[in-house]
Amino acid sequence: MHDLSKFRRMLVALDLTDMDVFVVKYASMIAKVFGIDAVYFMHVTTSLELPEEIQEKYGNVIAPVDETLEREIQVVLDDHFVKPENCDVQVSVQTGGITDEILKFGKVKMVDLIILGRKEKLGGSGLNAKKIAKASTSSVIFVPENPKAKLEKVLVSIDYSDHSQMAFEIGVDIQKKCGAKLLSNNVYRVPVGYAKSGKTYDEFAEIMLQNTKDQCERFFRKMNLEDVDYDHTYALDDDPHPADKIYKTGAELDVDLIVLGSKGRSSAAAFLIGSVAEKLVMENNDIPIFLVKKGNENMSFIEALFKL
């Protein structure tokens, strides 16, 4: 059974814009609920060198750029991050490409969870959240602008796969830790060739609903849910994009977090998130998205040796 104990080390990516306050506040809540042991607040800049003319004129009174940026980050942390007991907090400023440095740092520190901001209106270039999510083996939480920093109602999107079972079990543990109302939902659809069966769209939709209910019964029967309180619902997907329906369901239920399992494809180069998860991540919405990964599905043989 998967639970929050799999998340011990968390990386929080910051870009030194107004978005950081939202991200840090949300990271503070997650660190407490998940019982995180170590949090790394990280910023990536293109260069730590001062322009030569500035160095010549003010070099004796200006602190190194990395120290200046670290102090700037620390001010935000002092105001908005409540450090859990026995949690190690570190600030790191790195140079290079944002995506590459975040992925490299995450691998070196063996992080289990990455928190990324997703901008819609705020200025600044921000982070390539989609690219990081694709390439990282860590689970990822995408924080929108001005999110609700609470976990009172959590929606788990399930498709009856092993990945969605993992996501649901994580949702169960979130409920145990903070008393959140646990909701689950399955998006089903009518196959394209339904007309060849001689039945109408509505008639075939009823057939597919019964089919998904049967799958649902088998899915939940695999888990020990005797003391788990949850509500499961179904949503008919009437367009080619299930992600739209997942978000719409979450919005209608006024949830604080959407959890879904990432379907990985083994690759030495990248861990590709499933198409539905990818589309949901890029939706312009105000609900945080928690993309749960198994973590080692695309680990190479050499990487696995280093983990032993």
Side-chain angles (χ1 to χ4, degrees), residues 35-283:
I36 299 292
D37 293 333
V39 183
Y40 305 99
F41 290 95
M42 181 181 184
H43 172 70
V44 181
T45 184
T46 54
S47 174
L48 293 175
E49 295 182 6
L50 288 170
E52 187 174 336
E53 61 273 18
I54 300 296
Q55 182 68 34
E56 290 178 354
K57 191 172 183 178
Y58 303 105
N60 61 330
V61 295
I62 295 179
V65 175
D66 59 338
E67 295 178 15
T68 301
L69 296 179
E70 287 172 2
R71 282 199 295 271
E72 187 175 337
I73 292 171
Q74 191 60 54
V75 169
V76 178
L77 299 187
D78 290 343
D79 289 341
H80 303 291
F81 186 77
V82 179
K83 178 179 174 292
E85 188 176 356
N86 300 321
C87 179
D88 180 35
V89 176
Q90 297 182 27
V91 175
S92 177
V93 174
Q94 304 289 331
T95 59
I98 295 177
T99 300
D100 291 342
E101 290 303 317
I102 288 176
L103 294 174
K104 182 168 67 175
F105 189 89
K107 182 178 290 188
V108 169
K109 294 297 185 180
M110 299 172 64
V111 302
D112 314 296
L113 179 63
I114 298 176
I115 294 188
L116 303 172
R118 288 183 58 254
K119 293 181 180 180
E120 182 179 357
K121 298 177 181 178
L122 291 177
S125 58
L127 301 162
N128 192 331
K130 177 181 174 181
K131 192 172 181 180
I132 294 171
K134 273 193 169 188
S136 174
T137 58
S138 304
S139 297
V140 184
I141 294 180
F142 302 89
V143 180
E145 297 170 14
N146 200 25
K148 294 181 286 186
K150 60 180 182 176
L151 292 175
E152 295 179 357
K153 196 181 292 187
V154 175
L155 174 67
V156 183
S157 177
I158 63 174
D159 62 2
Y160 311 130
S161 66
D162 291 341
H163 290 81
S164 59
Q165 179 176 336
M166 173 181 60
F168 187 80
E169 290 173 347
I170 293 297
V172 168
D173 207 34
I174 291 176
Q175 181 187 67
K176 291 179 180 178
K177 291 292 193 299
C178 61
K181 183 175 182 180
L182 181 60
L183 308 170
S184 62
N185 178 263
N186 170 255
V187 176
Y188 66 99
R189 58 171 43 176
V190 173
V192 175
Y194 75 90
K196 294 180 181 179
S197 69
K199 296 185 180 298
T200 66
Y201 180 89
D202 290 339
E203 288 173 335
F204 216 99
E206 284 297 319
I207 293 173
M208 296 307 297
L209 176 58
Q210 185 57 53
N211 179 68
T212 195
K213 285 182 176 180
D214 293 340
Q215 287 183 289
C216 175
E217 184 178 347
R218 293 192 296 270
F219 175 80
F220 287 117
R221 200 163 49 222
K222 293 188 296 183
M223 294 175 277
N224 180 15
L225 302 177
E226 185 176 346
D227 299 321
V228 179
D229 183 20
Y230 67 96
D231 291 327
H232 181 71
T233 56
Y234 307 92
L236 174 61
D237 182 28
D238 49 9
D239 65 39
H241 304 293
D244 298 338
K245 186 65 70 173
I246 294 172
Y247 169 67
K248 184 177 180 181
T249 300
E252 290 174 349
L253 296 172
D254 192 28
V255 302
D256 304 312
L257 179 68
I258 295 176
V259 185
L260 69 162
S262 171
K263 294 181 179 180
R265 303 172 190 171
S266 295
S267 168
F271 183 103
L272 299 179
I273 61 179
S275 58
V276 173
E278 182 176 337
K279 180 68 165 59
L280 183 60
V281 166
M282 301 315 296
E283 286 287 325

Side-chain angles (χ1 to χ4, degrees), residues 15-26:
D15 67 356
L16 301 185
T17 69
D18 292 341
M19 186 71 199
D20 287 353
V21 172
F22 301 132
V23 174
V24 169
K25 284 182 176 180
Y26 204 86

